[in-house]
Amino acid sequence: MTHSFDKQIERKNTRAVKWDLVKSLYGAEDVLPMWVADMDFEVPEAVKNALTARAQHGVFGYTFTDHALASTIMDWLSDRHDWQIKKTSILYSPGVITTLYMAIQTFTNKGDKVLIQTPVYPPFYQIVTNHDRELVTNQLLLSNHRYEIDFEDFEAKLQEGVKAFILCNPHNPVGRVWTEDELRKIVALCKKYNVLILSDEIHADLVYSEHKHIPVAKLDEEMTDQIITCMSPTKTFNLAGLQVSYAIVSDRQKREALEKTFQKQGIHILNTMGITALDAAYQHGRDWLEQLLTQLTKNIDYVEEAFANHPEVDVIRPEGTYLVWLDFRKLQLSQADLKDFLQTQAKVGLNDGVSFGEEGTGFMRMNVACPFSLVKEGTNRIMDALKLKKQA
């Protein structure tokens, strides 16, 4: 079945964060939103049909997760990532960030050091600081339009007594899909210093040709019990509003401890529609996903090729995710002026690079998970604004 990703779907007046908050965030209604990480594409037809059938049933009582749902997840992970897990290792959650919050509460104490790699998804900072843990950062290094891990600094930070490390793979916002060699180095160092790995792999399915997502927990059997992997169909199939995710926790004691924390916080049941969507997406969404990746590749190609003629902007091409990290530092603008230029001159709403950490100064994040026409319009708005800036 051929899926169309060209249709522009009207999302305004649907309480869509991306579209209905444009004026409050960017100061004008005519700013094109290309920021928050959801897609402007319809979900697979099978997911729509499953949700419609469930809605027509008309009864929405308490729902439980069963062995059939676990088997669906197991089949997906085996098929997509060659990762065989046990049904008993699955722990359900409303979201990946929720799981990371619960894990920090469960496995660390106030004052403990927690490591993140910056620039990184803003909630990672909050996960640490909101729990009165000490934030430790390992800054990623940008070389030839590609970010790399500073392993010397990484080990030095672990030596300081880090208790937990939050890994982002594929990485948001820089788009790296960490290689097996890089992941093995991470695992070996965390093993050496007895550091718990909390791995956010929500973008695992959104990886482009020549790159491969490798679940970090499958690399070292001796470290499996020291890794908690957080995954979800929400980024893959545009289901964020349905709030459904799961964690793979191989160690029984850790799983029971984490589940106990969820219970303490009153989180013990998933959204009925989220369960329905997960099941349908993983069972019937493979073809849709392959066509989505083709569309996203086309969108990214356009952005990269368009800015190739504008040396003021460097494109950090993502190996995974649908998020493009744009380097505007050659413009030599303050971050406030850069934001103002994009909002008021280009009329495009992007994510502020500084929200990902001070290392994001001079950068902005662009979401290209939308019809090609919108990617072209947003990119051209920026290029036109750059031309006018030159002429001024």
Side-chain angles (χ1 to χ4, degrees), residues 213-229:
H213 176 77
I214 301 171
V216 68
K218 64 180 280 190
L219 292 179
D220 186 338
E221 289 186 6
E222 293 182 4
M223 268 293 285
T224 300
D225 290 348
Q226 276 290 93
I227 301 173
I228 294 174
T229 304

mmCIF file of all heavy atoms in Angstrom, residues 213-229:
data_model
loop_
_atom_site.group_PDB
_atom_site.id
_atom_site.type_symbol
_atom_site.label_atom_id
_atom_site.label_comp_id
_atom_site.label_asym_id
_atom_site.label_seq_id
_atom_site.Cartn_x
_atom_site.Cartn_y
_atom_site.Cartn_z
ATOM 1 N N HIS A 213 20.466 1.442 14.291
ATOM 2 C CA HIS A 213 20.285 1.600 15.731
ATOM 3 C C HIS A 213 20.612 0.290 16.434
ATOM 4 O O HIS A 213 20.127 -0.782 16.042
ATOM 5 C CB HIS A 213 18.853 2.004 16.078
ATOM 6 C CG HIS A 213 18.629 2.063 17.559
ATOM 7 N ND1 HIS A 213 19.082 3.103 18.327
ATOM 8 C CD2 HIS A 213 18.057 1.184 18.420
ATOM 9 C CE1 HIS A 213 18.785 2.878 19.593
ATOM 10 N NE2 HIS A 213 18.162 1.718 19.677
ATOM 11 N N ILE A 214 21.417 0.385 17.467
ATOM 12 C CA ILE A 214 21.782 -0.784 18.263
ATOM 13 C C ILE A 214 21.346 -0.548 19.712
ATOM 14 O O ILE A 214 21.861 0.358 20.371
ATOM 15 C CB ILE A 214 23.304 -1.024 18.215
ATOM 16 C CG1 ILE A 214 23.769 -1.237 16.779
ATOM 17 C CG2 ILE A 214 23.680 -2.214 19.087
ATOM 18 C CD1 ILE A 214 25.270 -1.270 16.620
ATOM 19 N N PRO A 215 20.393 -1.310 20.215
ATOM 20 C CA PRO A 215 20.034 -1.173 21.626
ATOM 21 C C PRO A 215 21.253 -1.447 22.491
ATOM 22 O O PRO A 215 21.892 -2.496 22.372
ATOM 23 C CB PRO A 215 18.956 -2.246 21.816
ATOM 24 C CG PRO A 215 18.391 -2.471 20.449
ATOM 25 C CD PRO A 215 19.563 -2.327 19.525
ATOM 26 N N VAL A 216 21.588 -0.509 23.344
ATOM 27 C CA VAL A 216 22.816 -0.640 24.125
ATOM 28 C C VAL A 216 22.775 -1.860 25.046
ATOM 29 O O VAL A 216 23.811 -2.471 25.336
ATOM 30 C CB VAL A 216 23.092 0.656 24.920
ATOM 31 C CG1 VAL A 216 22.054 0.872 26.011
ATOM 32 C CG2 VAL A 216 24.492 0.663 25.497
ATOM 33 N N ALA A 217 21.583 -2.264 25.455
ATOM 34 C CA ALA A 217 21.454 -3.373 26.409
ATOM 35 C C ALA A 217 21.781 -4.732 25.808
ATOM 36 O O ALA A 217 21.928 -5.705 26.544
ATOM 37 C CB ALA A 217 20.044 -3.399 26.992
ATOM 38 N N LYS A 218 21.911 -4.824 24.483
ATOM 39 C CA LYS A 218 22.185 -6.125 23.868
ATOM 40 C C LYS A 218 23.676 -6.374 23.665
ATOM 41 O O LYS A 218 24.070 -7.427 23.166
ATOM 42 C CB LYS A 218 21.458 -6.249 22.526
ATOM 43 C CG LYS A 218 21.913 -5.271 21.464
ATOM 44 C CD LYS A 218 21.145 -5.446 20.161
ATOM 45 C CE LYS A 218 21.695 -6.611 19.360
ATOM 46 N NZ LYS A 218 21.125 -6.656 17.983
ATOM 47 N N LEU A 219 24.523 -5.423 24.075
ATOM 48 C CA LEU A 219 25.945 -5.510 23.743
ATOM 49 C C LEU A 219 26.793 -6.287 24.742
ATOM 50 O O LEU A 219 27.852 -6.790 24.392
ATOM 51 C CB LEU A 219 26.521 -4.099 23.572
ATOM 52 C CG LEU A 219 26.002 -3.325 22.357
ATOM 53 C CD1 LEU A 219 26.618 -1.944 22.309
ATOM 54 C CD2 LEU A 219 26.272 -4.078 21.065
ATOM 55 N N ASP A 220 26.365 -6.354 25.993
ATOM 56 C CA ASP A 220 27.191 -7.006 27.015
ATOM 57 C C ASP A 220 26.274 -7.679 28.023
ATOM 58 O O ASP A 220 25.604 -7.007 28.815
ATOM 59 C CB ASP A 220 28.085 -5.972 27.708
ATOM 60 C CG ASP A 220 29.075 -6.595 28.685
ATOM 61 O OD1 ASP A 220 28.831 -7.732 29.143
ATOM 62 O OD2 ASP A 220 30.081 -5.947 29.010
ATOM 63 N N GLU A 221 26.235 -8.992 27.993
ATOM 64 C CA GLU A 221 25.334 -9.736 28.881
ATOM 65 C C GLU A 221 25.607 -9.434 30.348
ATOM 66 O O GLU A 221 24.696 -9.420 31.169
ATOM 67 C CB GLU A 221 25.453 -11.238 28.626
ATOM 68 C CG GLU A 221 24.863 -11.678 27.298
ATOM 69 C CD GLU A 221 24.861 -13.186 27.154
ATOM 70 O OE1 GLU A 221 25.214 -13.877 28.133
ATOM 71 O OE2 GLU A 221 24.498 -13.677 26.060
ATOM 72 N N GLU A 222 26.865 -9.185 30.664
ATOM 73 C CA GLU A 222 27.213 -8.914 32.055
ATOM 74 C C GLU A 222 26.703 -7.549 32.519
ATOM 75 O O GLU A 222 26.595 -7.307 33.718
ATOM 76 C CB GLU A 222 28.728 -8.989 32.245
ATOM 77 C CG GLU A 222 29.296 -10.386 32.072
ATOM 78 C CD GLU A 222 30.791 -10.420 32.308
ATOM 79 O OE1 GLU A 222 31.354 -9.354 32.681
ATOM 80 O OE2 GLU A 222 31.407 -11.490 32.134
ATOM 81 N N MET A 223 26.392 -6.654 31.576
ATOM 82 C CA MET A 223 25.911 -5.319 31.923
ATOM 83 C C MET A 223 24.404 -5.166 31.761
ATOM 84 O O MET A 223 23.838 -4.127 32.102
ATOM 85 C CB MET A 223 26.613 -4.270 31.065
ATOM 86 C CG MET A 223 27.868 -3.684 31.679
ATOM 87 S SD MET A 223 27.535 -2.684 33.175
ATOM 88 C CE MET A 223 26.850 -1.187 32.443
ATOM 89 N N THR A 224 23.753 -6.191 31.230
ATOM 90 C CA THR A 224 22.324 -6.092 30.938
ATOM 91 C C THR A 224 21.515 -5.645 32.152
ATOM 92 O O THR A 224 20.593 -4.831 32.033
ATOM 93 C CB THR A 224 21.783 -7.446 30.433
ATOM 94 O OG1 THR A 224 22.481 -7.810 29.238
ATOM 95 C CG2 THR A 224 20.302 -7.358 30.139
ATOM 96 N N ASP A 225 21.868 -6.157 33.308
ATOM 97 C CA ASP A 225 21.119 -5.816 34.516
ATOM 98 C C ASP A 225 21.403 -4.401 35.011
ATOM 99 O O ASP A 225 20.751 -3.924 35.937
ATOM 100 C CB ASP A 225 21.433 -6.818 35.640
ATOM 101 C CG ASP A 225 20.846 -8.192 35.352
ATOM 102 O OD1 ASP A 225 20.024 -8.301 34.427
ATOM 103 O OD2 ASP A 225 21.221 -9.153 36.047
ATOM 104 N N GLN A 226 22.393 -3.749 34.405
ATOM 105 C CA GLN A 226 22.737 -2.370 34.779
ATOM 106 C C GLN A 226 22.255 -1.371 33.737
ATOM 107 O O GLN A 226 22.697 -0.219 33.729
ATOM 108 C CB GLN A 226 24.259 -2.238 34.936
ATOM 109 C CG GLN A 226 24.785 -2.663 36.295
ATOM 110 C CD GLN A 226 24.385 -1.687 37.394
ATOM 111 O OE1 GLN A 226 23.363 -1.857 38.060
ATOM 112 N NE2 GLN A 226 25.191 -0.656 37.586
ATOM 113 N N ILE A 227 21.327 -1.819 32.879
ATOM 114 C CA ILE A 227 20.808 -0.943 31.820
ATOM 115 C C ILE A 227 19.292 -0.989 31.807
ATOM 116 O O ILE A 227 18.689 -2.067 31.823
ATOM 117 C CB ILE A 227 21.340 -1.376 30.440
ATOM 118 C CG1 ILE A 227 22.877 -1.323 30.410
ATOM 119 C CG2 ILE A 227 20.771 -0.491 29.341
ATOM 120 C CD1 ILE A 227 23.489 -1.893 29.140
ATOM 121 N N ILE A 228 18.684 0.174 31.784
ATOM 122 C CA ILE A 228 17.232 0.304 31.632
ATOM 123 C C ILE A 228 16.991 1.038 30.320
ATOM 124 O O ILE A 228 17.465 2.157 30.130
ATOM 125 C CB ILE A 228 16.614 1.063 32.815
ATOM 126 C CG1 ILE A 228 16.761 0.246 34.101
ATOM 127 C CG2 ILE A 228 15.139 1.383 32.533
ATOM 128 C CD1 ILE A 228 16.307 0.972 35.351
ATOM 129 N N THR A 229 16.281 0.386 29.408
ATOM 130 C CA THR A 229 16.052 0.944 28.076
ATOM 131 C C THR A 229 14.617 1.448 27.964
ATOM 132 O O THR A 229 13.674 0.699 28.236
ATOM 133 C CB THR A 229 16.302 -0.120 26.995
ATOM 134 O OG1 THR A 229 17.630 -0.645 27.150
ATOM 135 C CG2 THR A 229 16.158 0.483 25.606
#
